[in-house]
Amino acid sequence: MNDTLIQPEIGMLASTVWLSTRAMILVAVILSALGIASLVGFLLSRRETMGVESAIVRRYNQKLRVWWLMTAIFVFGFLLQRIGVVILFGFVSFWALREFITMTPTRRGDHRTLFWVFFVFTPLQYILIALGSHPPSFVPQNDYYGLYSIMIPVYASLFIPARAAIAGDYKRFLERSAKIQAGLLICVYALSYAPALLDLDLVRTGGEPWHGSNVSVLIFLVVIAQLAAVLERGWTKLAGRHVIAEKINGSRTWEGVLGSMVTTGLIAAALSWATPFYPWEAGVLAAVVTTMACGGAMTMSAIKRDRGVTDTGTLVQGHAGVLDQIDNICFAAPVFYHLTRYFFSA
């Protein structure tokens, strides 16, 4: 299958394409799958069901509405090209961080620290992501990966407790500082590695140039992370016996995770044509993404259980908040990015 150049991206290498034929086909496959799933949900909702069965159908349709919303937002971002996608993820990070901080109440002494977190470090991280390894000619030429990879875990993590200390409020100081640091790390730093994939000069194993679109690699990550969560629930209902951590989340089992790793790996191998990965490589990466997605979901479950809340917010009525929808991507994105950068970039 030959990739067709749709439009080169300003500031990137000339050989890089923004949207390729394969990327558009992948989007079409996703839209078709969602259309079929929505038709199934509509037919199920027409049945006179009661009790648990109707509740399952209702939750299924609510989840589909979330996926349609996410897909529409992504497509809109892709139309705005790379800078549009970076800005889109920046807004998602801001929203998710707001939910995280709201879920864990702060004190008056934290307000100025939070101003720096929301309005300085969050936009700065995404500005550095936008500059990337191929910045525009009007800014100092540098590989900004070296800065955005340490800006939050080093500089922001040191600044936050120092700024909180200046406020003069020592009560639960360590807990408050750690909470803000954790929110910034998960919601901003980790998630920012998803749009950072668009900046990589990708190659196939052995150094063979890959002339596809990085958009399809980003879509691949998001789809696999979302499928991992769905398939884990499915395998848990079919074969779940051993709960991972009952006090954290009684609905997640080892069988569900292992079943999801295998199934997601097979699906990823089938989608490898849209990526620089060979089928077995796509399967291995999908297993890693599934593991990290499960870890993200378990981590957020532990935080919500500690705070005594069910959901981080309300994105679609009856179906949780933004952070609940992207916790798997947050944990998977930095690991997927660095594996891709190390093994599949020039």
Side-chain angles (χ1 to χ4, degrees):
M1 184 185 301
N2 293 324
D3 287 325
T4 302
L5 178 63
I6 302 300
Q7 186 174 354
E9 183 187 0
I10 298 174
M12 296 291 287
L13 296 182
S15 60
T16 303
V17 299
W18 175 243
L19 282 178
S20 65
T21 302
R22 298 184 185 189
M24 292 189 291
I25 291 175
L26 182 58
V27 172
V29 169
I30 294 170
L31 292 175
S32 300
L34 284 176
I36 294 172
S38 296
L39 178 60
V40 171
F42 173 76
L43 294 176
L44 289 174
S45 65
R46 299 286 293 179
R47 295 178 53 192
E48 294 292 335
T49 56
M50 298 293 293
V52 176
E53 188 176 351
S54 63
I56 293 174
V57 172
R58 186 165 54 253
R59 182 173 178 82
Y60 171 81
N61 285 323
Q62 289 171 345
K63 187 66 176 178
L64 282 175
R65 286 196 289 273
V66 172
W67 283 346
W68 274 114
L69 178 61
M70 293 176 64
T71 302
I73 293 173
F74 268 104
V75 170
F76 177 74
F78 292 148
L79 293 177
L80 299 177
Q81 298 209 14
R82 178 170 171 267
I83 297 302
V85 175
V86 173
I87 293 173
L88 167 65
F89 273 91
F91 279 119
V92 172
S93 281
F94 188 95
W95 192 349
L97 181 60
R98 177 182 174 276
E99 290 183 345
F100 187 98
I101 297 299
T102 302
M103 181 175 59
T104 54
T106 57
R107 294 173 60 85
R108 183 181 297 272
D110 297 325
H111 291 179
R112 292 188 178 181
T113 304
L114 290 172
F115 173 85
W116 281 85
V117 167
F118 278 100
F119 298 105
V120 177
F121 287 114
T122 296
L124 180 57
Q125 176 72 9
Y126 279 94
I127 289 172
L128 295 173
I129 293 289
L131 294 176
S133 301
H134 309 286
S137 58
F138 57 84
V139 299
Q141 296 300 296
N142 200 348
D143 184 355
Y144 288 91
Y145 165 78
L147 187 53
Y148 70 67
S149 63
I150 65 170
M151 197 268 292
I152 287 178
V154 177
Y155 300 113
S157 294
L158 294 174
F159 177 87
I160 287 170
R163 184 62 188 84
I166 293 174
D169 185 354
Y170 63 86
K171 291 186 177 180
R172 301 188 356 243
F173 177 83
L174 187 60
E175 176 187 346
R176 288 159 38 218
S177 297
K179 176 193 63 180
I180 297 173
Q181 289 171 324
L184 188 62
L185 184 71
I186 294 171
C187 302
V188 180
Y189 178 75
L191 186 61
S192 71
Y193 277 103
L197 289 166
L198 300 176
D199 189 54
L200 295 178
D201 301 321
L202 297 174
V203 298
R204 297 177 71 87
T205 300
E208 175 190 351
W210 184 68
H211 301 293
S213 168
N214 289 30
V215 170
S216 60
V217 179
L218 174 57
I219 296 173
F220 176 85
L221 166 64
V222 174
V223 168
I224 293 304
Q226 292 294 319
L227 281 177
V230 174
L231 292 171
E232 183 206 333
R233 294 190 188 97
W235 279 106
T236 293
K237 290 186 178 295
L238 288 174
R241 296 292 184 273
H242 301 88
V243 178
I244 298 174
E246 185 174 359
K247 292 184 178 180
I248 300 297
N249 191 320
S251 63
R252 297 187 182 278
T253 65
W254 290 111
E255 292 82 2
V257 174
L258 292 175
S260 178
M261 289 176 63
V262 174
T263 313
T264 307
L266 293 174
I267 294 173
L271 295 176
S272 62
W273 52 266
T275 71
F277 317 131
Y278 290 111
W280 72 268
E281 294 169 337
V284 172
L285 286 171
V288 174
V289 168
T290 301
T291 302
M292 296 308 301
C294 177
M298 289 292 292
T299 300
M300 293 312 302
S301 292
I303 293 173
K304 288 185 289 186
R305 184 64 62 91
D306 175 63
R307 303 311 306 172
V309 299
T310 304
D311 301 317
T312 60
T314 303
L315 174 62
V316 174
Q317 185 176 6
H319 209 86
V322 170
L323 188 52
D324 290 304
Q325 310 302 326
I326 65 168
D327 53 10
N328 46 15
I329 302 175
C330 288
F331 275 67
V335 177
F336 181 86
Y337 171 88
H338 283 105
L339 289 174
T340 304
R341 181 184 177 92
Y342 186 81
F343 291 106
F344 302 99
S345 70

